[in-house]
Short mmCIF file of all heavy atoms in Angstrom, two decimals:
data_model
loop_
_atom_site.label_atom_id
_atom_site.label_comp_id
_atom_site.label_asym_id
_atom_site.label_seq_id
_atom_site.Cartn_x
_atom_site.Cartn_y
_atom_site.Cartn_z
N THR A 378 106.68 118.78 106.87
CA THR A 378 105.75 118.27 105.85
C THR A 378 104.42 119.01 105.92
O THR A 378 103.90 119.49 104.90
CB THR A 378 105.52 116.76 106.09
OG1 THR A 378 106.78 116.12 106.11
CG2 THR A 378 104.67 116.16 105.00
N THR A 379 103.88 119.13 107.13
CA THR A 379 102.56 119.76 107.29
C THR A 379 102.58 121.20 106.79
O THR A 379 101.72 121.61 105.99
CB THR A 379 102.16 119.74 108.78
OG1 THR A 379 102.22 118.39 109.23
CG2 THR A 379 100.76 120.29 108.96
N TRP A 380 103.58 121.97 107.25
CA TRP A 380 103.59 123.39 106.89
C TRP A 380 103.98 123.61 105.43
O TRP A 380 103.51 124.56 104.81
CB TRP A 380 104.51 124.17 107.84
CG TRP A 380 103.76 124.44 109.12
CD1 TRP A 380 103.88 123.76 110.29
CD2 TRP A 380 102.72 125.40 109.30
NE1 TRP A 380 102.98 124.24 111.21
CE2 TRP A 380 102.26 125.26 110.63
CE3 TRP A 380 102.14 126.37 108.49
CZ2 TRP A 380 101.24 126.05 111.16
CZ3 TRP A 380 101.12 127.16 109.01
CH2 TRP A 380 100.69 126.99 110.33
N THR A 381 104.79 122.72 104.91
CA THR A 381 105.12 122.85 103.48
C THR A 381 103.86 122.60 102.66
O THR A 381 103.57 123.35 101.71
CB THR A 381 106.22 121.84 103.09
OG1 THR A 381 107.41 122.17 103.82
CG2 THR A 381 106.51 121.90 101.60
N GLU A 382 103.11 121.57 103.03
CA GLU A 382 101.89 121.26 102.26
C GLU A 382 100.87 122.40 102.39
O GLU A 382 100.21 122.75 101.42
CB GLU A 382 101.31 119.93 102.73
CG GLU A 382 102.16 118.75 102.22
CD GLU A 382 101.73 117.42 102.80
OE1 GLU A 382 100.84 117.39 103.67
OE2 GLU A 382 102.31 116.40 102.38
N ARG A 383 100.76 122.98 103.57
CA ARG A 383 99.80 124.08 103.74
C ARG A 383 100.20 125.30 102.92
O ARG A 383 99.36 125.95 102.29
CB ARG A 383 99.72 124.48 105.22
CG ARG A 383 98.90 123.51 106.04
CD ARG A 383 98.89 123.91 107.49
NE ARG A 383 98.21 122.90 108.28
CZ ARG A 383 98.29 122.79 109.59
NH1 ARG A 383 99.03 123.65 110.27
NH2 ARG A 383 97.63 121.86 110.23
N LEU A 384 101.47 125.63 102.94
CA LEU A 384 101.92 126.84 102.24
C LEU A 384 102.17 126.59 100.75
O LEU A 384 102.45 127.53 100.00
CB LEU A 384 103.19 127.39 102.90
CG LEU A 384 102.98 127.93 104.32
CD1 LEU A 384 104.32 128.30 104.95
CD2 LEU A 384 102.06 129.15 104.30
N PHE A 385 102.08 125.32 100.37
CA PHE A 385 102.30 124.99 98.96
C PHE A 385 101.08 125.38 98.12
O PHE A 385 101.22 125.77 96.96
CB PHE A 385 102.57 123.49 98.84
CG PHE A 385 103.03 123.05 97.47
CD1 PHE A 385 104.15 123.62 96.89
CD2 PHE A 385 102.36 122.07 96.77
CE1 PHE A 385 104.59 123.21 95.64
CE2 PHE A 385 102.79 121.66 95.52
CZ PHE A 385 103.90 122.23 94.96
N TRP A 386 99.92 125.32 98.73
CA TRP A 386 98.70 125.64 97.98
C TRP A 386 98.70 127.07 97.43
O TRP A 386 98.33 127.29 96.27
CB TRP A 386 97.46 125.38 98.83
CG TRP A 386 97.14 123.91 98.82
CD1 TRP A 386 97.30 123.02 99.83
CD2 TRP A 386 96.66 123.17 97.69
NE1 TRP A 386 96.97 121.75 99.41
CE2 TRP A 386 96.56 121.81 98.10
CE3 TRP A 386 96.33 123.48 96.38
CZ2 TRP A 386 96.13 120.81 97.26
CZ3 TRP A 386 95.90 122.48 95.53
CH2 TRP A 386 95.81 121.16 95.98
N PRO A 387 99.09 128.06 98.24
CA PRO A 387 99.17 129.41 97.65
C PRO A 387 100.10 129.49 96.45
O PRO A 387 99.85 130.28 95.53
CB PRO A 387 99.69 130.26 98.82
CG PRO A 387 99.29 129.51 100.04
CD PRO A 387 99.34 128.06 99.68
N VAL A 388 101.16 128.67 96.46
CA VAL A 388 102.07 128.66 95.30
C VAL A 388 101.32 128.17 94.07
O VAL A 388 101.42 128.75 92.97
CB VAL A 388 103.30 127.75 95.56
CG1 VAL A 388 104.17 127.65 94.32
CG2 VAL A 388 104.09 128.25 96.74
N ILE A 389 100.54 127.10 94.27
CA ILE A 389 99.78 126.53 93.15
C ILE A 389 98.75 127.55 92.65
O ILE A 389 98.61 127.78 91.44
CB ILE A 389 99.02 125.25 93.60
CG1 ILE A 389 99.98 124.25 94.22
CG2 ILE A 389 98.25 124.64 92.42
CD1 ILE A 389 100.90 123.62 93.27
N VAL A 390 98.05 128.16 93.61
CA VAL A 390 97.01 129.14 93.23
C VAL A 390 97.66 130.31 92.48
O VAL A 390 97.17 130.73 91.42
CB VAL A 390 96.27 129.64 94.49
CG1 VAL A 390 95.37 130.82 94.15
CG2 VAL A 390 95.46 128.50 95.11
N GLY A 391 98.77 130.81 93.02
CA GLY A 391 99.45 131.93 92.37
C GLY A 391 99.95 131.56 90.99
O GLY A 391 99.80 132.33 90.03
N GLY A 392 100.56 130.37 90.88
CA GLY A 392 101.10 129.93 89.59
C GLY A 392 100.00 129.72 88.57
O GLY A 392 100.09 130.21 87.43
#
Side-chain angles (χ1 to χ4, degrees):
Chain A
T378 305
T379 305
W380 280 100
T381 297
E382 286 173 355
R383 284 178 185 164
L384 293 174
F385 189 56
W386 280 107
V388 175
I389 305 290
V390 170

